[in-house]
Amino acid sequence: MSKAAGRVKILTTIADAQTQSRAKRRVLVPTMGALHKAHDELIRVAREAAGEDGEVAVSIFVNPLQFEPGSDYNLYPRPEKADEEFCRSAGVDLLFRPSADEVYATDRSTFVEETSLSTTLEGKSRPGHFRGVCTVVAKLFNILAPDAAVFGEKDFQQLAVIRRMVRDLNFKIDIIAVPTVREKDGLACSSRNQYLNTEERKQASVLHKALQAVANSGKKSASEIVTVAGVDQ
Ligand code: PAF
């Protein structure tokens, strides 16, 4: 199901978002902007899930709470006009694009924290990251009250953490997972790919190639897997 490019309603305040009249079914695509072809796929899936009479809402918010100190919060791309145009041509109905001051009170003291799945993998190297993600996603769910929300499998741990949060806090929201969208050379599409120079960009695609080689080899033992992947020990 597709929808022709048209008018996208842009909202920047929580009050407007919460008093907005809405279609029967609303499907949310939460993003941090710098939209690219993987977002196009999330929006396509959201449109399908919303149905003929439903609406697709996209949020764009570079969430300061999920960036660790010293990371790329200030550097993170914020191409406002291009994102707006992207939403328009993708047939998005509602774009929620609040400022950080709108989302977070200066004396905020309430957070949402998942305390099991968040502690391993990326959670280990990015302390506070998943607390920031859960807090903002819970807020977006409360502000926009979607019936369903769409997340990419690229951030697989994030997806698992959000599913857990939805279950534990009884949000009545379906979480829809979308397979990773990749560039021609196998690199997962990401807004952060634009940080890479030509050499780094070439190196980054090796990860996917190595994982594919391992998957195709059918090898099960750690030492064989390491050999097939061509990893130096
Ligand atoms: O995956 C992202 O882009 C972000 O982590 C999300 C889910 C929009 C929360 O800020």
Side-chain angles (χ1 to χ4, degrees):
M1 186 173 311
S2 66
K3 189 175 169 183
R7 245 174 61 78
V8 50
K9 197 173 287 176
I10 300 177
L11 302 175
T12 57
T13 69
I14 293 170
D16 282 350
Q18 289 187 320
T19 51
Q20 181 67 31
S21 68
R22 50 174 296 168
K24 276 197 196 112
R25 184 169 167 79
R26 175 180 284 172
V27 182
L28 171 66
V29 183
T31 82
M32 297 206 301
L35 304 174
H36 50 70
K37 69 176 178 184
H39 293 112
D40 219 14
E41 178 61 5
L42 300 181
I43 292 167
R44 188 194 65 74
V45 170
R47 170 62 54 203
E48 221 167 71
E52 277 292 326
D53 305 327
E55 66 186 2
V56 174
V58 167
S59 61
I60 295 182
F61 180 61
V62 184
N63 174 31
L65 224 57
Q66 71 188 76
F67 286 76
E68 321 79 79
S71 66
D72 59 341
Y73 176 69
N74 289 327
L75 214 73
Y76 200 88
R78 293 162 170 85
E80 274 198 15
K81 277 286 151 215
D83 280 349
E84 210 176 296
E85 196 39 51
F86 189 103
C87 288
R88 189 165 289 119
S89 56
V92 167
D93 301 293
L94 183 81
L95 172 57
F96 180 55
R97 196 173 52 188
S99 66
D101 291 345
E102 177 70 13
V103 174
Y104 294 117
T106 46
D107 61 348
R108 66 183 177 274
S109 53
T110 306
F111 301 89
V112 178
E113 188 167 11
E114 191 286 327
T115 58
S116 172
L117 306 175
S118 300
T119 58
T120 59
L121 301 168
E122 200 177 359
K124 252 192 176 151
S125 55
R126 302 181 69 184
H129 170 69
F130 286 116
R131 181 168 96 141
V133 170
C134 285
T135 301
V136 82
V137 170
K139 282 167 75 72
L140 290 169
F141 285 175
N142 282 330
I143 294 165
L144 293 164
D147 299 284
V150 178
F151 294 87
E153 287 181 350
K154 173 176 76 67
D155 299 303
F156 207 80
Q157 189 177 9
Q158 169 174 281
L159 177 62
V161 167
I162 287 169
R163 282 195 193 284
R164 178 65 62 89
M165 175 188 81
V166 163
R167 187 201 70 179
D168 288 351
L169 299 186
N170 308 102
F171 282 107
K172 209 167 162 297
I173 297 172
D174 298 328
I175 301 301
I176 303 170
V178 176
T180 303
V181 177
R182 297 182 179 278
E183 301 291 355
K184 276 203 188 75
D185 62 3
L187 183 66
C189 295
S190 163
S191 308
R192 287 187 167 104
N193 288 352
Q194 53 188 278
Y195 296 164
L196 303 174
N197 64 31
T198 316
E199 191 46 37
E200 289 165 337
R201 178 70 183 70
K202 228 165 83 191
Q203 289 167 0
S205 70
V206 167
L207 264 180
H208 178 65
K209 288 185 187 123
L211 291 173
Q212 279 296 115
V214 170
N216 295 336
S217 74
K219 302 285 186 209
K220 297 274 186 285
S221 85
S223 63
E224 285 178 319
I225 286 172
V226 163
T227 306
V228 174
V231 181
D232 292 330
Q233 292 183 82

